Coordinates of all heavy atoms in Angstrom, one line a residue:
M1 N 0.8 -1.2 0.0 CA 0.0 0.0 0.0 C 0.9 1.2 0.0 O 1.8 1.4 0.8 CB -0.9 0.0 1.3 CG -1.8 1.2 1.4 SD -2.9 0.9 2.8 CE -2.6 2.5 3.6
I2 N 0.6 2.2 -0.9 CA 1.4 3.4 -1.0 C 0.7 4.5 0.0 O -0.4 4.7 -0.1 CB 1.4 3.9 -2.4 CG1 2.1 2.9 -3.3 CG2 2.1 5.3 -2.5 CD1 2.0 3.2 -4.8
P3 N 1.5 5.0 0.9 CA 1.0 6.0 1.8 C 0.5 7.3 1.0 O 1.1 7.6 0.0 CB 2.1 6.4 2.7 CG 3.3 5.6 2.3 CD 2.9 4.8 1.1
E4 N -0.5 7.9 1.6 CA -0.9 9.2 1.0 C 0.1 10.2 1.5 O 0.7 10.1 2.5 CB -2.3 9.5 1.5 CG -3.4 8.5 0.9 CD -4.8 8.9 1.3 OE1 -5.0 10.1 1.8 OE2 -5.6 8.1 1.2
G5 N 0.1 11.3 0.7 CA 1.0 12.4 1.1 C 2.3 12.3 0.5 O 2.6 11.6 -0.4
R6 N 3.2 13.1 1.0 CA 4.6 13.2 0.5 C 5.6 13.2 1.6 O 5.3 13.5 2.8 CB 4.7 14.5 -0.3 CG 4.1 14.4 -1.7 CD 5.1 13.6 -2.6 NE 4.4 13.2 -3.8 CZ 4.6 12.0 -4.4 NH1 5.5 11.2 -3.9 NH2 4.1 11.8 -5.5
S7 N 6.8 12.9 1.3 CA 7.9 13.0 2.2 C 8.1 14.4 2.7 O 7.6 15.3 2.1 CB 9.2 12.4 1.6 OG 9.5 13.2 0.5
D8 N 8.9 14.6 3.7 CA 9.1 15.9 4.2 C 10.1 16.7 3.3 O 9.9 17.9 3.2 CB 9.7 15.8 5.6 CG 8.7 15.3 6.6 OD1 7.5 15.6 6.5 OD2 9.1 14.6 7.6
L9 N 11.0 16.0 2.7 CA 12.0 16.8 1.9 C 12.5 15.9 0.8 O 12.8 14.7 1.0 CB 13.2 17.2 2.8 CG 14.3 18.0 2.2 CD1 13.8 19.3 1.6 CD2 15.4 18.2 3.2
E10 N 12.6 16.4 -0.4 CA 13.2 15.7 -1.6 C 14.2 16.6 -2.3 O 13.9 17.7 -2.5 CB 12.1 15.2 -2.5 CG 11.2 14.2 -2.0 CD 10.1 13.7 -3.0 OE1 10.4 13.8 -4.2 OE2 9.1 13.2 -2.5
F11 N 15.3 16.0 -2.6 CA 16.3 16.6 -3.5 C 16.3 15.9 -4.8 O 16.3 14.7 -4.9 CB 17.7 16.6 -2.9 CG 17.8 17.4 -1.6 CD1 17.8 16.8 -0.4 CD2 18.0 18.7 -1.7 CE1 17.9 17.5 0.8 CE2 18.2 19.5 -0.5 CZ 18.1 18.9 0.7
V12 N 16.2 16.7 -5.9 CA 16.1 16.1 -7.2 C 17.3 16.7 -8.0 O 17.4 17.9 -8.1 CB 14.8 16.5 -7.9 CG1 14.7 15.9 -9.3 CG2 13.6 16.0 -7.0
G13 N 18.1 15.8 -8.6 CA 19.2 16.2 -9.4 C 18.7 16.8 -10.7 O 17.7 16.3 -11.3
K14 N 19.4 17.9 -11.2 CA 19.0 18.5 -12.5 C 19.3 17.5 -13.6 O 20.3 16.9 -13.6 CB 19.8 19.8 -12.6 CG 19.3 20.9 -11.7 CD 20.0 22.2 -12.0 CE 19.5 23.3 -11.1 NZ 20.2 24.5 -11.4
Y15 N 18.4 17.6 -14.6 CA 18.5 16.6 -15.7 C 19.8 16.7 -16.5 O 20.2 15.7 -17.1 CB 17.3 16.8 -16.6 CG 17.3 18.0 -17.5 CD1 17.9 18.0 -18.7 CD2 16.8 19.2 -17.0 CE1 17.9 19.2 -19.5 CE2 16.9 20.4 -17.7 CZ 17.4 20.4 -19.0 OH 17.4 21.5 -19.7
H16 N 20.4 17.8 -16.5 CA 21.6 18.0 -17.4 C 22.9 18.1 -16.6 O 24.0 18.4 -17.1 CB 21.5 19.3 -18.2 CG 21.4 20.6 -17.4 ND1 20.2 20.9 -16.7 CD2 22.2 21.5 -17.1 CE1 20.4 22.0 -16.0 NE2 21.6 22.4 -16.3
E17 N 22.9 17.8 -15.3 CA 24.1 17.8 -14.5 C 24.5 16.5 -14.0 O 23.8 15.5 -14.2 CB 23.9 18.8 -13.4 CG 23.7 20.3 -13.9 CD 23.7 21.3 -12.8 OE1 23.8 20.9 -11.6 OE2 23.5 22.5 -13.1
R18 N 25.5 16.4 -13.2 CA 26.1 15.2 -12.7 C 25.1 14.4 -11.9 O 25.2 13.1 -11.9 CB 27.3 15.6 -11.8 CG 28.1 14.4 -11.3 CD 29.3 14.8 -10.6 NE 29.1 15.3 -9.3 CZ 30.0 15.3 -8.3 NH1 31.2 15.0 -8.6 NH2 29.6 15.7 -7.1
F19 N 24.2 15.0 -11.2 CA 23.3 14.3 -10.3 C 22.0 14.0 -11.0 O 21.0 13.7 -10.3 CB 23.1 15.0 -9.0 CG 24.4 15.2 -8.2 CD1 25.0 16.4 -8.1 CD2 24.9 14.1 -7.6 CE1 26.2 16.6 -7.4 CE2 26.1 14.2 -6.9 CZ 26.7 15.5 -6.8
A20 N 21.9 14.0 -12.3 CA 20.7 13.8 -13.0 C 20.2 12.4 -12.7 O 20.9 11.4 -12.5 CB 21.0 13.8 -14.5
G21 N 18.9 12.3 -12.4 CA 18.3 11.0 -12.1 C 18.3 10.6 -10.6 O 17.7 9.7 -10.2
L22 N 19.0 11.4 -9.8 CA 19.1 11.1 -8.4 C 18.1 11.8 -7.6 O 17.8 13.0 -7.8 CB 20.5 11.5 -7.9 CG 20.7 11.4 -6.4 CD1 20.7 9.9 -6.0 CD2 22.1 11.9 -6.0
R23 N 17.4 11.1 -6.7 CA 16.4 11.7 -5.9 C 16.7 11.3 -4.4 O 16.8 10.1 -4.2 CB 15.0 11.3 -6.2 CG 14.6 11.9 -7.6 CD 13.2 11.6 -7.9 NE 12.3 12.6 -7.3 CZ 11.1 12.9 -7.7 NH1 10.7 12.3 -8.8 NH2 10.4 13.8 -7.1
L24 N 16.9 12.2 -3.6 CA 17.1 11.9 -2.1 C 15.7 12.2 -1.5 O 15.2 13.3 -1.6 CB 18.2 12.8 -1.5 CG 19.6 12.7 -2.2 CD1 20.5 13.6 -1.5 CD2 20.1 11.2 -2.1
V25 N 15.2 11.2 -0.8 CA 13.9 11.4 -0.1 C 14.2 11.3 1.4 O 14.8 10.3 1.9 CB 12.9 10.3 -0.5 CG1 11.6 10.4 0.2 CG2 12.7 10.3 -2.0
I26 N 13.8 12.4 2.1 CA 14.1 12.5 3.5 C 12.8 12.6 4.3 O 12.0 13.5 4.0 CB 15.0 13.6 3.8 CG1 16.3 13.5 3.0 CG2 15.3 13.8 5.3 CD1 17.2 14.7 3.0
E27 N 12.6 11.8 5.3 CA 11.5 11.9 6.2 C 12.0 12.3 7.6 O 12.9 11.6 8.1 CB 10.7 10.6 6.3 CG 9.5 10.6 7.1 CD 8.4 11.4 6.5 OE1 8.4 11.7 5.3 OE2 7.5 11.8 7.3
F28 N 11.5 13.3 8.2 CA 11.8 13.7 9.6 C 10.8 13.2 10.6 O 9.6 13.2 10.3 CB 11.9 15.2 9.7 CG 13.0 15.9 9.0 CD1 12.8 16.4 7.7 CD2 14.3 16.0 9.5 CE1 13.8 17.0 7.0 CE2 15.3 16.6 8.8 CZ 15.0 17.1 7.5
K29 N 11.3 12.7 11.7 CA 10.5 12.2 12.8 C 10.9 12.9 14.1 O 12.1 12.9 14.3 CB 10.6 10.7 12.9 CG 10.1 9.9 11.7 CD 8.6 10.1 11.5 CE 8.1 9.3 10.3 NZ 6.7 9.5 10.0
Y30 N 10.0 13.4 14.8 CA 10.3 14.0 16.1 C 9.9 13.2 17.3 O 8.7 12.8 17.3 CB 9.7 15.4 16.1 CG 10.0 16.2 17.4 CD1 11.2 16.8 17.6 CD2 9.0 16.2 18.4 CE1 11.5 17.4 18.8 CE2 9.3 16.8 19.6 CZ 10.5 17.4 19.8 OH 10.8 18.1 21.0
L31 N 10.8 13.1 18.2 CA 10.4 12.4 19.5 C 10.8 13.4 20.6 O 11.9 14.0 20.6 CB 11.2 11.2 19.7 CG 11.1 10.0 18.7 CD1 12.1 8.9 19.0 CD2 9.7 9.5 18.8
S32 N 9.8 13.7 21.5 CA 10.1 14.6 22.6 C 11.0 13.9 23.6 O 11.2 12.7 23.5 CB 8.8 15.0 23.3 OG 8.3 13.9 24.0
N33 N 11.6 14.7 24.4 CA 12.5 14.2 25.4 C 11.8 13.2 26.3 O 12.3 12.1 26.7 CB 13.1 15.3 26.3 CG 14.2 16.1 25.6 OD1 14.9 15.6 24.7 ND2 14.3 17.3 25.9
T34 N 10.5 13.5 26.6 CA 9.7 12.6 27.5 C 9.4 11.3 26.8 O 9.6 10.2 27.4 CB 8.3 13.3 27.8 OG1 8.6 14.6 28.4 CG2 7.5 12.5 28.7
E35 N 9.0 11.4 25.5 CA 8.7 10.2 24.7 C 10.0 9.3 24.6 O 9.9 8.1 24.8 CB 8.2 10.6 23.4 CG 7.8 9.4 22.5 CD 7.2 9.9 21.2 OE1 7.2 11.1 20.9 OE2 6.8 9.0 20.4
F36 N 11.1 9.9 24.4 CA 12.4 9.2 24.2 C 12.8 8.5 25.6 O 13.3 7.4 25.6 CB 13.5 10.1 23.7 CG 14.7 9.3 23.4 CD1 14.8 8.4 22.4 CD2 15.9 9.5 24.1 CE1 16.0 7.7 22.1 CE2 17.1 8.8 23.9 CZ 17.1 7.9 22.9
S37 N 12.6 9.3 26.7 CA 13.0 8.7 28.0 C 12.2 7.5 28.3 O 12.7 6.6 29.0 CB 13.0 9.8 29.1 OG 11.6 10.2 29.3
R38 N 10.9 7.5 27.9 CA 10.1 6.3 28.1 C 10.6 5.0 27.4 O 10.3 3.9 27.8 CB 8.6 6.6 27.7 CG 7.8 7.3 28.7 CD 6.4 7.3 28.3 NE 5.9 8.7 28.3 CZ 5.4 9.3 27.3 NH1 5.1 8.7 26.2 NH2 5.0 10.6 27.3
M39 N 11.4 5.2 26.4 CA 11.9 4.1 25.6 C 13.0 3.4 26.3 O 13.4 2.3 26.0 CB 12.3 4.6 24.2 CG 11.2 5.1 23.4 SD 11.7 5.9 21.9 CE 11.8 4.5 20.8
K40 N 13.6 4.1 27.3 CA 14.7 3.5 28.1 C 15.9 3.0 27.3 O 16.3 1.9 27.5 CB 14.1 2.4 29.0 CG 13.0 2.8 29.9 CD 13.3 2.8 31.3 CE 12.1 3.0 32.2 NZ 11.8 4.3 32.6
E41 N 16.3 3.8 26.4 CA 17.5 3.4 25.6 C 18.3 4.6 25.3 O 17.9 5.8 25.4 CB 17.1 2.7 24.3 CG 16.3 3.5 23.3 CD 16.0 2.6 22.1 OE1 16.9 2.1 21.4 OE2 14.8 2.5 21.8
K42 N 19.6 4.4 25.0 CA 20.5 5.5 24.7 C 20.3 5.9 23.2 O 19.9 5.1 22.4 CB 22.0 5.0 24.9 CG 22.3 4.7 26.3 CD 23.7 4.2 26.4 CE 24.0 3.7 27.8 NZ 25.4 3.2 27.9
L43 N 20.7 7.1 22.9 CA 20.6 7.6 21.6 C 21.5 6.7 20.6 O 21.0 6.4 19.5 CB 21.1 9.0 21.5 CG 21.0 9.7 20.1 CD1 19.6 9.7 19.6 CD2 21.6 11.1 20.2
E44 N 22.6 6.3 21.1 CA 23.5 5.4 20.3 C 22.9 4.1 19.9 O 23.2 3.5 18.9 CB 24.8 5.1 21.0 CG 25.6 6.3 21.4 CD 25.1 6.9 22.8 OE1 24.9 6.2 23.7 OE2 25.0 8.1 22.8
D45 N 22.0 3.6 20.8 CA 21.3 2.3 20.6 C 20.0 2.4 19.9 O 19.4 1.4 19.5 CB 21.1 1.6 21.9 CG 22.4 1.4 22.6 OD1 23.5 1.2 21.9 OD2 22.5 1.4 23.9
F46 N 19.5 3.6 19.6 CA 18.2 3.8 19.0 C 18.2 3.2 17.6 O 19.1 3.4 16.8 CB 17.9 5.3 19.0 CG 16.5 5.6 18.4 CD1 15.4 5.4 19.1 CD2 16.4 6.1 17.1 CE1 14.2 5.7 18.5 CE2 15.2 6.4 16.5 CZ 14.1 6.2 17.3
K47 N 17.1 2.4 17.3 CA 17.0 1.8 16.0 C 15.8 2.4 15.3 O 14.8 2.9 15.9 CB 16.7 0.3 16.2 CG 17.8 -0.4 16.9 CD 19.0 -0.7 16.1 CE 20.0 -1.6 16.7 NZ 21.1 -0.9 17.3
M48 N 15.8 2.4 14.0 CA 14.7 2.9 13.2 C 13.5 2.0 13.4 O 13.6 0.8 13.5 CB 15.2 2.8 11.7 CG 14.2 3.5 10.8 SD 15.0 3.8 9.2 CE 13.6 3.7 8.2
R49 N 12.3 2.7 13.4 CA 11.1 2.0 13.6 C 10.6 1.4 12.3 O 10.7 2.0 11.3 CB 10.0 3.0 14.1 CG 10.3 3.6 15.5 CD 9.3 4.6 15.8 NE 9.5 5.2 17.1 CZ 8.8 6.2 17.5 NH1 7.8 6.7 16.8 NH2 9.0 6.7 18.7
K50 N 10.0 0.2 12.4 CA 9.5 -0.5 11.3 C 8.5 0.3 10.5 O 8.5 0.3 9.3 CB 9.0 -1.9 11.7 CG 8.5 -2.7 10.6 CD 9.6 -3.2 9.7 CE 9.1 -4.1 8.6 NZ 10.1 -4.3 7.5
E51 N 7.6 0.9 11.2 CA 6.5 1.7 10.5 C 7.1 2.9 9.7 O 6.5 3.2 8.7 CB 5.4 2.2 11.5 CG 5.9 3.1 12.6 CD 6.3 2.5 13.9 OE1 6.6 1.3 13.9 OE2 6.3 3.2 14.9
D52 N 8.2 3.4 10.2 CA 8.8 4.5 9.4 C 9.5 4.0 8.2 O 9.5 4.7 7.1 CB 9.8 5.3 10.3 CG 9.1 5.9 11.5 OD1 7.9 6.2 11.4 OD2 9.8 6.1 12.6
T53 N 10.0 2.8 8.2 CA 10.6 2.1 7.0 C 9.5 1.9 6.0 O 9.7 2.2 4.8 CB 11.3 0.8 7.4 OG1 12.3 1.0 8.4 CG2 11.9 0.2 6.2
I54 N 8.4 1.4 6.5 CA 7.3 1.1 5.6 C 6.8 2.4 4.9 O 6.5 2.4 3.7 CB 6.2 0.4 6.3 CG1 6.6 -1.0 6.7 CG2 4.9 0.3 5.5 CD1 5.7 -1.7 7.7
Q55 N 6.7 3.4 5.7 CA 6.2 4.7 5.2 C 7.1 5.2 4.1 O 6.6 5.6 3.0 CB 6.1 5.7 6.3 CG 5.6 7.1 5.9 CD 5.6 8.1 7.0 OE1 6.2 7.9 8.0 NE2 5.0 9.2 6.8
I56 N 8.3 5.3 4.3 CA 9.2 5.9 3.3 C 9.4 5.0 2.1 O 9.6 5.5 1.0 CB 10.6 6.4 4.0 CG1 11.2 7.4 3.0 CG2 11.5 5.2 4.3 CD1 12.3 8.2 3.7
E57 N 9.4 3.7 2.3 CA 9.4 2.8 1.2 C 8.2 3.0 0.3 O 8.3 2.8 -0.9 CB 9.6 1.4 1.6 CG 11.0 1.1 2.1 CD 11.2 -0.3 2.7 OE1 10.2 -1.0 3.0 OE2 12.4 -0.7 2.8
G58 N 7.1 3.3 0.9 CA 5.8 3.6 0.1 C 6.0 4.8 -0.7 O 5.6 4.9 -1.9
Y59 N 6.7 5.9 -0.2 CA 7.0 7.1 -1.0 C 7.8 6.7 -2.2 O 7.6 7.2 -3.3 CB 7.7 8.1 -0.1 CG 6.8 8.7 1.0 CD1 7.4 9.1 2.2 CD2 5.5 8.9 0.9 CE1 6.7 9.6 3.2 CE2 4.7 9.4 1.9 CZ 5.3 9.8 3.1 OH 4.6 10.3 4.1
A60 N 8.8 5.8 -1.9 CA 9.7 5.5 -3.0 C 9.0 4.7 -4.1 O 9.2 5.0 -5.3 CB 10.9 4.6 -2.5
K61 N 8.1 3.8 -3.7 CA 7.3 3.1 -4.8 C 6.5 4.1 -5.6 O 6.4 3.9 -6.8 CB 6.3 2.1 -4.1 CG 7.0 0.9 -3.5 CD 6.0 0.0 -2.8 CE 6.8 -1.1 -2.1 NZ 5.9 -2.0 -1.3
S62 N 5.9 5.1 -5.0 CA 5.2 6.1 -5.7 C 6.1 6.9 -6.7 O 5.7 7.1 -7.8 CB 4.5 7.1 -4.7 OG 3.9 8.1 -5.4
L63 N 7.3 7.2 -6.2 CA 8.2 7.9 -7.1 C 8.7 7.1 -8.3 O 8.8 7.6 -9.4 CB 9.4 8.4 -6.3 CG 9.3 9.5 -5.3 CD1 10.5 9.7 -4.4 CD2 8.9 10.8 -6.0
I64 N 8.9 5.8 -8.0 CA 9.3 4.9 -9.1 C 8.2 4.8 -10.2 O 8.5 4.8 -11.4 CB 9.6 3.5 -8.6 CG1 10.9 3.6 -7.8 CG2 9.7 2.5 -9.7 CD1 11.2 2.4 -7.0
Q65 N 6.9 4.9 -9.8 CA 5.8 4.9 -10.7 C 5.9 6.1 -11.6 O 5.6 6.1 -12.8 CB 4.5 4.7 -10.0 CG 4.3 3.3 -9.4 CD 3.0 3.3 -8.6 OE1 2.3 4.2 -8.4 NE2 2.7 2.1 -8.1
E66 N 6.2 7.3 -10.9 CA 6.2 8.5 -11.6 C 7.5 8.7 -12.5 O 7.4 9.3 -13.6 CB 6.2 9.7 -10.6 CG 5.0 9.8 -9.8 CD 5.1 10.9 -8.7 OE1 6.1 11.7 -8.7 OE2 4.3 10.9 -7.8
N67 N 8.6 8.1 -12.0 CA 9.9 8.3 -12.7 C 10.7 7.1 -12.6 O 11.6 7.0 -11.8 CB 10.6 9.5 -12.0 CG 11.8 10.0 -12.8 OD1 12.1 9.5 -13.8 ND2 12.4 11.0 -12.3
P68 N 10.4 6.0 -13.4 CA 11.0 4.7 -13.3 C 12.5 4.7 -13.4 O 13.2 3.8 -12.9 CB 10.4 3.9 -14.4 CG 9.4 4.7 -15.0 CD 9.4 6.1 -14.5
E69 N 13.1 5.7 -14.1 CA 14.6 5.7 -14.3 C 15.3 6.4 -13.2 O 16.6 6.4 -13.2 CB 14.9 6.3 -15.7 CG 14.7 7.8 -15.8 CD 13.2 8.2 -16.1 OE1 12.4 7.3 -16.3 OE2 12.9 9.4 -16.0
A70 N 14.7 6.9 -12.2 CA 15.3 7.6 -11.1 C 16.1 6.7 -10.2 O 15.6 5.6 -10.0 CB 14.3 8.4 -10.4
H71 N 17.2 7.2 -9.7 CA 17.9 6.5 -8.7 C 17.5 7.1 -7.3 O 17.8 8.3 -7.1 CB 19.4 6.6 -8.9 CG 20.2 6.0 -7.8 ND1 20.3 4.6 -7.6 CD2 21.0 6.6 -6.8 CE1 21.1 4.4 -6.5 NE2 21.5 5.6 -6.1
I72 N 16.8 6.4 -6.5 CA 16.2 6.9 -5.3 C 17.0 6.5 -4.1 O 17.2 5.3 -3.9 CB 14.8 6.5 -5.2 CG1 14.0 7.1 -6.4 CG2 14.1 7.1 -3.9 CD1 12.6 6.5 -6.5
R73 N 17.4 7.4 -3.2 CA 18.0 7.1 -1.9 C 17.1 7.6 -0.8 O 16.6 8.7 -0.9 CB 19.4 7.7 -1.8 CG 20.3 7.1 -2.9 CD 21.7 7.6 -2.8 NE 22.3 7.3 -1.4 CZ 23.3 7.9 -0.9 NH1 23.9 8.9 -1.6 NH2 23.8 7.6 0.3
L74 N 16.9 6.8 0.2 CA 15.9 7.1 1.3 C 16.7 7.3 2.6 O 17.6 6.6 2.9 CB 14.9 5.9 1.4 CG 14.2 5.5 0.2 CD1 13.4 4.2 0.4 CD2 13.3 6.6 -0.4
F75 N 16.2 8.3 3.4 CA 16.7 8.6 4.7 C 15.6 9.0 5.6 O 14.6 9.6 5.3 CB 17.7 9.8 4.6 CG 18.9 9.6 3.7 CD1 18.8 9.9 2.4 CD2 20.0 9.0 4.2 CE1 19.9 9.7 1.6 CE2 21.1 8.8 3.4 CZ 21.1 9.1 2.1
V76 N 15.7 8.5 6.9 CA 14.9 9.0 8.0 C 15.7 9.6 9.0 O 16.7 9.0 9.4 CB 14.1 7.8 8.6 CG1 13.2 8.2 9.8 CG2 13.2 7.1 7.5
I77 N 15.4 10.8 9.4 CA 16.1 11.6 10.4 C 15.2 11.7 11.6 O 14.1 12.3 11.5 CB 16.6 12.9 9.9 CG1 17.4 12.8 8.7 CG2 17.3 13.7 11.0 CD1 17.9 14.1 8.0
Y78 N 15.6 11.2 12.7 CA 14.9 11.3 14.0 C 15.5 12.5 14.8 O 16.7 12.5 15.1 CB 15.0 10.1 14.8 CG 14.3 8.9 14.3 CD1 14.9 8.0 13.4 CD2 13.0 8.7 14.6 CE1 14.2 6.9 12.9 CE2 12.3 7.6 14.1 CZ 12.9 6.7 13.3 OH 12.2 5.6 12.7
C79 N 14.7 13.5 15.1 CA 15.1 14.6 16.0 C 14.5 14.3 17.3 O 13.3 14.1 17.5 CB 14.5 15.9 15.4 SG 15.0 16.2 13.7
I80 N 15.4 14.1 18.3 CA 15.0 13.7 19.6 C 15.2 14.8 20.6 O 16.3 15.1 21.2 CB 15.8 12.4 20.0 CG1 15.6 11.3 19.0 CG2 15.4 12.0 21.4 CD1 16.5 10.2 19.1
G81 N 14.1 15.5 20.8 CA 14.0 16.6 21.8 C 15.3 17.5 21.6 O 15.7 17.9 20.5
N82 N 15.9 17.9 22.7 CA 17.1 18.6 22.7 C 18.3 17.7 22.9 O 19.4 18.1 23.2 CB 17.1 19.8 23.6 CG 17.0 19.3 25.1 OD1 16.9 18.2 25.4 ND2 17.0 20.3 26.0
T83 N 18.1 16.4 22.8 CA 19.1 15.3 23.0 C 20.0 15.2 21.8 O 21.2 15.0 22.0 CB 18.5 14.0 23.4 OG1 17.6 14.2 24.5 CG2 19.5 12.9 23.7
G84 N 19.5 15.2 20.7 CA 20.3 15.0 19.5 C 19.4 14.5 18.3 O 18.2 14.7 18.3
F85 N 20.1 13.9 17.4 CA 19.4 13.3 16.2 C 20.1 12.1 15.8 O 21.3 11.8 16.1 CB 19.4 14.4 15.1 CG 20.7 14.8 14.6 CD1 21.3 14.1 13.5 CD2 21.4 15.8 15.1 CE1 22.6 14.4 13.0 CE2 22.7 16.2 14.7 CZ 23.3 15.5 13.6
K86 N 19.4 11.3 14.9 CA 20.0 10.1 14.4 C 19.5 9.9 13.0 O 18.3 10.1 12.7 CB 19.6 8.9 15.2 CG 20.3 7.6 14.9 CD 21.0 7.1 16.1 CE 21.8 5.8 15.7 NZ 21.9 4.8 16.7
I87 N 20.4 9.6 12.0 CA 20.1 9.5 10.6 C 20.2 8.1 10.2 O 21.2 7.4 10.5 CB 21.0 10.4 9.8 CG1 20.9 11.9 10.2 CG2 20.7 10.3 8.3 CD1 21.9 12.8 9.6
F88 N 19.2 7.6 9.5 CA 19.2 6.2 8.9 C 19.0 6.3 7.4 O 18.1 6.9 6.9 CB 18.1 5.4 9.5 CG 18.2 5.1 11.0 CD1 17.6 6.0 11.9 CD2 19.0 4.1 11.5 CE1 17.7 5.8 13.3 CE2 19.1 3.9 12.8 CZ 18.5 4.7 13.7
G89 N 19.9 5.6 6.7 CA 19.8 5.4 5.3 C 19.2 4.1 5.1 O 19.5 3.1 5.8
I90 N 18.3 4.0 4.1 CA 17.6 2.7 3.8 C 18.1 2.1 2.5 O 18.2 2.9 1.5 CB 16.1 2.9 3.7 CG1 15.6 3.5 5.1 CG2 15.4 1.6 3.4 CD1 14.1 3.8 5.1

């Protein structure tokens, strides 16, 4: 199933330049300090959530239908209160 909506940020390479055909799809997820502390884990040990993987892969499927020749790279960035952030490439 393809999710409705769009990713938070997409970078698209210009057709006549070195990055032609490249699309970077980025989804931001925010966790408050309270929510993160309930998880009882360190930032270094934090793993990407399965539902977020499914969501961004759905966006990629939609993009492939629109532009089958594109090279798509997916990223999820978790912003965790004022603790820090963690970036995952898929």
Side-chain angles (χ1 to χ4, degrees):
M1 179 173 129
I2 297 172
E4 293 183 14
R6 284 282 166 213
S7 60
D8 292 328
L9 183 62
E10 291 183 23
F11 291 100
V12 180
K14 290 185 178 180
Y15 71 93
H16 62 286
E17 293 187 1
R18 182 173 82 158
F19 298 107
L22 176 63
R23 291 185 85 154
L24 302 179
V25 179
I26 302 168
E27 183 68 24
F28 291 96
K29 298 294 181 182
Y30 178 78
L31 299 172
S32 68
N33 287 330
T34 303
E35 187 178 1
F36 185 68
S37 67
R38 277 191 235 125
M39 298 171 87
K40 306 252 189 263
E41 62 183 302
K42 296 178 184 175
L43 182 59
E44 304 84 44
D45 300 331
F46 181 76
K47 302 283 189 261
M48 190 166 148
R49 297 176 178 176
K50 181 66 177 170
E51 62 267 22
D52 299 332
T53 303
I54 293 168
Q55 178 185 14
I56 199 164
E57 286 175 345
Y59 294 145
K61 287 178 188 175
S62 176
L63 287 172
I64 289 169
Q65 290 174 355
E66 294 172 16
N67 191 0
E69 68 279 353
H71 174 69
I72 300 169
R73 296 186 59 200
L74 307 172
F75 298 91
V76 176
I77 300 175
Y78 290 90
C79 301
I80 302 169
N82 62 357
T83 305
F85 62 91
K86 190 121 184 216
I87 302 171
F88 295 93
I90 299 177

